[in-house]
Amino acid sequence: MFESLFLSTFELKTPLIQAGMGGVSGVELAASVSNQGCLGVLAQYKNSPQEVIRTIQETRHKTACFIGVNFIPEVSGTSLLDKQIEALIQCGDNKLTIVMYGLPPKHVAEKIISSSIPLIIQVGTQKDAEAAYLMGATCIVLQGIQAGGHLLGEVTTEELLKDVLSCKFEVPLIVAGGISSGIDYLYYRDQGASGCMCGTMFVTSHESNAHPKYKQLIVDSAAKDTIMTDLFHIGWEGRIHRVLKNETVRIGQEQSITFIAESEIFGKRYPVPRFSSAAPLKQTNGAIELMALYCGESCENIQRIEPVEAILERFCSEIILHE
């Protein structure tokens, strides 16, 4: 219903947002997605204010299009989030939007809106969708349990969209979870969605910062190979997540918490313990296959590792062919 508003607000050609996915969503991925007429998103939830500014500036060198900046209030905490938002506002970039995973504190939402920055809020329940609307969200992302990574609710994308449509909000509703083709999107648009958010299909892109082995494991998997669990809790407790069923998942909590890998972030090396919430990146060495392999049910339709341009050309052609 509000697809045209979504497109015009962010100057998009296709009503699609790339999910903010931890270290996977870096400068190359976000810029490439935006340059293809969709909304690329930078994952910045653990970064310092200085790192946020630097990453935005690096991305701006690669695209003049709208870009999203993803923050996660429940991970960063209010103190860091306040500083991150202030840094972003000080950038003075009029083609930035903030993508919140979960509800932000009320004062943060008020500050963003008063600074004339579009605010996108991702939720997993009808109650949180109502709260996001009252906060003044520009768009609301409705995440169903088919999605890979951490989950905000307990119902499917279809159920959540139906519930929230009944509220008759005057903003675009963006669906997330199990979407990896233009045909998938059209299914939800026919039900009332105004756009979609996709994550897993971008993990396997050339431009993503995911480890090559992780990308291939997604390509080789089907929906039945994913599972919802709370195993990978170190660094992010209390949130169910959808991952591939690897050996860590199959054996479960009886395993000892030992270091299984090492990753590099902004030039610093960090050990990765078993059950860490960290995803395997290009800068990660060690037992990649034992780490948190976030993956949505949309892996069913992902057949290859390829450039963002190829992924989105196919996605858009499917919309044109079948609408």
Side-chain angles (χ1 to χ4, degrees):
M1 187 184 298
F2 293 94
E3 184 182 82
S4 60
L5 175 61
F6 177 48
L7 291 170
S8 61
T9 298
F10 301 105
E11 301 173 9
L12 307 178
K13 295 178 182 177
T14 305
L16 185 152
I17 304 175
Q18 165 239 313
M21 302 170 286
V24 171
S25 304
V27 171
E28 294 297 330
L29 178 57
S32 296
V33 171
S34 288
N35 284 335
Q36 291 299 314
C38 300
L39 182 60
V41 176
L42 297 163
Q44 294 292 290
Y45 64 95
K46 286 188 177 180
N47 289 353
S48 69
Q50 295 76 22
E51 291 163 347
V52 170
I53 293 173
R54 184 176 72 184
T55 307
I56 291 171
Q57 291 173 340
E58 288 177 3
T59 310
R60 191 51 75 205
H61 286 309
K62 295 179 178 293
T63 183
C65 303
F66 253 97
I67 52 175
V69 186
N70 173 240
F71 298 108
I72 306 178
E74 69 182 29
V75 174
S76 60
T78 302
S79 178
L80 176 57
L81 181 62
D82 284 342
K83 295 172 184 175
Q84 291 170 326
I85 298 302
E86 183 60 35
L88 185 144
I89 291 171
Q90 293 306 314
C91 283
D93 190 322
N94 64 1
K95 287 195 176 182
L96 289 179
T97 179
I98 292 174
V99 183
M100 287 286 181
Y101 177 90
L103 296 172
K106 185 178 179 181
H107 76 275
V108 172
E110 290 173 347
K111 187 167 190 177
I112 293 168
I113 292 167
S114 66
S115 300
S116 300
I117 297 173
L119 174 60
I120 299 172
I121 301 179
Q122 184 171 342
V123 301
T125 67
Q126 181 179 344
K127 180 180 178 181
D128 283 355
E130 292 170 351
Y133 185 68
L134 292 174
M135 283 183 179
T138 308
C139 302
I140 302 174
V141 177
L142 308 177
Q143 183 204 50
I145 57 173
Q146 300 98 313
H150 292 80
L151 301 172
L152 288 161
E154 299 178 347
V155 299
T156 65
T157 310
E158 295 91 337
E159 292 175 272
L160 185 57
L161 177 60
K162 181 180 178 181
D163 290 344
V164 177
L165 280 169
S166 69
C167 299
K168 301 188 183 304
F169 296 149
E170 298 292 314
V171 297
L173 299 178
I174 313 302
V175 287
I179 302 164
S180 61
S181 72
I183 297 171
D184 292 336
Y185 170 57
L186 288 175
Y187 169 76
Y188 289 107
R189 190 175 74 175
D190 287 345
Q191 296 179 47
S194 300
C196 61
M197 174 181 278
C198 300
T200 302
M201 79 176 189
F202 289 118
V203 177
T204 58
S205 69
H206 286 172
E207 293 87 348
S208 118
N209 199 37
H211 193 281
K213 185 179 288 187
Y214 175 22
K215 295 181 184 183
Q216 192 59 50
L217 286 167
I218 291 176
V219 169
D220 295 339
S221 298
K224 64 180 177 58
D225 300 314
T226 71
I227 189 171
M228 291 189 293
T229 180
D230 61 357
L231 269 180
F232 298 97
H233 63 280
I234 298 176
W236 191 346
E237 295 185 0
R239 184 67 65 185
I240 296 292
H241 34 270
R242 184 177 291 278
V243 296
L244 292 177
K245 300 175 191 172
N246 59 8
E247 184 179 335
T248 302
V249 173
R250 286 190 288 269
I251 298 176
Q253 295 178 345
E254 297 114 30
Q255 300 162 94
S256 60
I257 300 178
T258 56
F259 293 124
I260 60 173
E262 184 181 65
S263 200
E264 182 178 316
I265 304 173
F266 290 109
K268 297 181 180 179
R269 304 297 300 180
Y270 296 91
V272 179
R274 193 188 309 275
F275 305 132
S276 169
S277 61
L281 309 177
K282 291 177 181 176
Q283 304 89 340
T284 307
N285 295 301
I288 304 301
E289 68 282 358
L290 299 182
M291 292 177 64
L293 304 174
Y294 301 115
C295 181
E297 291 187 354
S298 61
C299 65
E300 187 83 26
N301 300 317
I302 298 171
Q303 308 298 328
R304 62 189 69 85
I305 299 169
E306 58 187 341
V308 163
E309 182 178 5
I311 292 170
L312 289 175
E313 279 184 355
R314 184 169 56 253
F315 194 100
C316 296
S317 66
E318 289 169 345
I319 292 177
I320 294 169
L321 184 63
H322 293 93
E323 67 181 350

